[in-house]
Amino acid sequence: TWKIDDEDRHVRSLCPYCGVGCQVDYTVRGGRIIAADGAAGPANLYRLCVKGRFGFDYAHHPDRLTRPLVRREGVAKDPGQIPPPGEERRAAFREASWDEALEIAARGLAAIRDRDGGAALAGFGSAKGSNEEAYLFQKLIRAGFVTNNVDHCTRLCHASSVAALMEGLGSAAVTAPFMAAKDADVIIVIGSRPAQNHPVAATFIKNAVKRGAKLVVMDPRRQALSRHAEYMVQFASGMDVVLLNAMIYTIIAEGLTDNAYIARHVEGFEELKSKIAAFVPEKVAAQCGVEAAVIRAVARLYATAKRAIIYWGMGVSQHVHGTDNVRALIALSLICGHIGREGCGLHPLRGQNNVQGASDVGLIPMVYPDYKAVSDPAVRDMYQRYWGVPLSDSPGLTVVEIINAARAGTIKGMYIMGENPAMSDPDAAHARQGLAALEHLVVQDIFLTETAWLADVILPASSFFEKEGTFTNTNRQVQMAHPVVPMPGDARQDLWIVQQIARRIGLDWGEMDAAAVFDEMHGVMASIKGMSWARLQREGAVTYPCAREDAPGQDILFGDGFPTKTGKGRLAPTDFCAPDELPDDDYPFILTTGRMLEHWHTGAISRHAGILHDLEPVAVVSLNPATLRRLEAQPGDTLRVGTRRGVVDIQARADRDVPDGMVFIPFCFYEAAANLLTNPKLDPSGKIPEFKVCAAKVEKA
Ligand code: SF4
């Protein structure tokens, strides 16, 4: 128990977890955060979820890295045996001074560049860092390594959404904020579990339902929002395109399209119409696992609404047909004219607290900041002048491609800032072998993660609570984070570390703080033209696009057309493409993976947060009680879950939301890493792996 003391400090900043971007008032006593309260941020209006309210104490955890570490001579990298966090993991390394560690880190990277060329190097930045850190990191890889092999976890979450939105609308960001639910008559949530993964956004959806909006939840699993829904459409895994095309068929066949909107703002309608002819609801109902009458009813509900909005998440994007799934959602929205108005739109709910911003500032292999193609000679020319160095003209490799190249020996060195691919990449045993095969791996992080275990040099970085910088949430709101507590020990700011590496590989940037980096971004990013550092400090949050310093940002986009070549939204008809791996006699279950309310992604930070860890301390697999009965198992029993890639032993949990025949494992538990099991097959456009469906077998261990 604690009481506010007069000596306590109160600092306004943000929540370090999800893309909702809640503003938080932190109470600090004696250099430690002791409480977090929801502030009046535009995205949360004083609300917080369990992670924001209780998940802050990882910043003070004794496992924090406080000194640079260098691999001990003669200690081999063992990708097969990663000890639990703590002393045993740390024993593979010795402490070093910053000078020594930076010198080894930079020398190893520069040697590979000079010997084998920039294409032999790669970098993973982080969506947990600020826009300024992400910008500087991609600049380092492009200008210093001379390669575009730079990516981050967007590749594992919404890369397929970005690909489809860029193609269809000419812009990858949300068309309306999640609060637009308040003005909607119909809300579709598909392939997303906002009550777990974006809990404060879910409260706005629940408020809208209370006001009278009709909610449709579409997902192979039921969820906390299901009981608020008019329709819970529990469809067969991987059948998204079939289901959505059947809805589009119904809308077109029953004459429910907005023809005036289509004539003014849409191209490709005739092609869509002919392609969609095969998706008659009565013919595809069995394939979808949804009655034709329900498909038709949901289609009519959406099409005839005055205002309707669609939210989606990884359940849509993490498939080999993830881009097609999003193309179908865009088509639904465009043919009904449900875009560009209040209460309407398309909103891919972003995962990490800065995955939107990290993508915007160019932490992607194929584009510079503001999504300008690296393959466009005029754009490259401009950046060569702006940064004063020659740049590579080849689009870089993506996350999984980089790991594959490391395994194959063509990528030889990597710099990883704040990401944990040893836990987050599909087929993690393969990913770990790839990381271990690197000649030189530099990891910059706040804990000795599973990825850091395979490093040559580990650089102790700043946690969210020690940073100043801007973060962009799922609503396109750029918000200012302020340092809440000092850094522990000899840990350093990520911005400082990146600049030290840059200097040691031959770049001279002087010394830039976050404000100076923001100014540099401002010089090339039209999207933030109306924002200055001073304005962000003053207002705390500004939405982009924002043309002028004295104008508000634009919440709702595309009321008067799209930023495509023709100014029209482009329909891209989709065909059914089955998941890469479906159940068979040897592997009769469907495995799906994702997040849970109390933990965050690979668990690197949330499992170091005391209350979150106490709430969910043990790795669990969730199964329907009927599945458990068939396995003659009880909740709490240890089950062995295997796929063609690996096996984990994990505790069973009964969960009626999971359909019979499916198992769900969150990917945050190192002791039963879900990604040892997942399929690395990629969506051809978004290059995102199929985390949501693979074939598995389950037995009592
Ligand atoms: Fe943090 Fe997201 Fe929860 Fe808000 S909803 S408190 S941003 S985890």
Side-chain angles (χ1 to χ4, degrees), residues 360-384:
D360 296 341
V361 303
L363 207 54
I364 301 184
M366 50 294 275
V367 291
Y368 294 116
D370 263 355
Y371 304 92
K372 299 282 185 273
V374 297
S375 53
D376 181 333
V379 175
R380 192 173 59 257
D381 242 35
M382 191 276 286
Y383 272 98
Q384 290 186 147

Side-chain angles (χ1 to χ4, degrees), residues 15-22 47-53 197-201:
C15 169
Y17 290 101
C18 89
V20 169
C22 294
R47 308 169 192 196
L48 291 180
C49 79
V50 65
K51 288 188 285 287
R53 190 169 295 285
N197 302 324
H198 302 86
V200 166

Side-chain angles (χ1 to χ4, degrees), residues 93-135:
F93 302 89
R94 65 172 173 83
E95 290 191 353
S97 69
W98 270 105
D99 256 353
E100 185 193 6
L102 287 167
E103 202 47 46
I104 297 172
R107 202 184 327 123
L109 295 167
I112 293 169
R113 176 196 61 189
D114 298 342
R115 187 191 65 210
D116 301 316
L121 291 172
F124 290 166
S126 174
K128 294 195 291 284
S130 67
N131 287 322
E132 293 72 30
E133 290 165 350
Y135 172 87

Side-chain angles (χ1 to χ4, degrees), residues 281-581:
E282 288 69 18
K283 285 189 188 161
V284 300
Q287 194 181 1
C288 299
V290 181
E291 286 174 26
V294 173
I295 299 174
R296 286 187 182 273
V298 168
R300 287 175 197 138
L301 184 69
Y302 176 77
T304 57
K306 279 206 180 83
R307 296 163 169 184
I309 187 163
I310 302 175
Y311 300 93
W312 72 93
M314 313 298 81
V316 163
S317 61
Q318 289 176 336
H319 289 277
V320 290
H321 49 87
T323 305
D324 281 346
N325 291 347
V326 180
R327 285 174 175 140
L329 293 174
I330 293 169
L332 264 181
S333 169
L334 288 178
I335 63 170
C336 298
H338 286 327
I339 196 162
R341 293 181 288 121
E342 286 195 346
C344 294
L346 291 163
H347 190 121
L349 284 153
R350 306 287 168 163
Q352 299 259 18
N353 71 341
N354 198 37
V355 71
Q356 180 65 61
S359 304
D360 296 341
V361 303
L363 207 54
I364 301 184
M366 50 294 275
V367 291
Y368 294 116
D370 263 355
Y371 304 92
K372 299 282 185 273
V374 297
S375 53
D376 181 333
V379 175
R380 192 173 59 257
D381 242 35
M382 191 276 286
Y383 272 98
Q384 290 186 147
R385 275 181 275 115
Y386 199 60
W387 291 340
V389 289
L391 299 170
S392 165
D393 58 1
S394 321
L397 300 175
T398 59
V399 164
V400 176
E401 291 172 333
I402 286 170
I403 293 295
N404 289 342
R407 185 84 176 93
T410 48
I411 295 278
K412 297 185 169 72
M414 283 191 73
Y415 180 14
I416 298 179
M417 177 179 81
E419 291 244 316
N420 193 8
M423 282 289 290
S424 59
D425 274 31
D427 191 3
H430 170 86
R432 292 170 187 185
Q433 285 159 6
L435 292 166
L438 291 167
E439 186 182 314
H440 190 63
L441 173 59
V442 178
V443 172
Q444 180 172 320
D445 214 313
I446 64 170
F447 292 110
L448 209 162
T449 61
E450 292 70 22
T451 301
W453 159 253
L454 298 167
D456 296 277
V457 185
I458 304 173
L459 305 171
S462 43
S463 83
F464 176 83
F465 300 105
E466 293 133 24
K467 293 181 196 294
E468 179 170 53
T470 60
F471 289 74
T472 308
N473 70 3
T474 187
N475 291 336
R476 296 180 267 107
Q477 287 157 335
V478 181
Q479 305 195 92
M480 186 62 84
H482 299 286
V484 181
V485 288
M487 279 179 295
D490 211 7
R492 296 288 171 92
Q493 290 289 340
D494 291 81
L495 271 188
W496 181 86
I497 302 171
V498 172
Q499 290 176 77
Q500 290 298 315
I501 297 281
R503 190 164 65 76
R504 286 171 161 83
I505 64 168
L507 297 168
D508 182 11
W509 294 341
E511 287 220 353
M512 290 196 284
D513 61 8
V517 179
F518 182 87
D519 282 350
E520 184 177 318
M521 286 158 45
H522 196 257
V524 271
M525 292 180 65
S527 61
I528 59 170
K529 268 288 166 263
M531 292 176 208
S532 63
W533 189 257
R535 180 178 181 185
L536 285 161
Q537 288 280 10
R538 198 170 57 243
E539 298 181 20
V542 181
T543 300
Y544 82 77
C546 177
R548 292 194 329 268
E549 180 91 6
D550 59 352
Q554 236 181 302
D555 275 350
I556 294 171
L557 299 180
F558 313 138
D560 51 0
F562 298 93
T564 55
K565 276 201 182 105
T566 58
K568 292 188 171 188
R570 292 189 207 113
L571 294 170
T574 54
D575 277 325
F576 171 60
C577 155
D580 182 60
E581 202 181 73

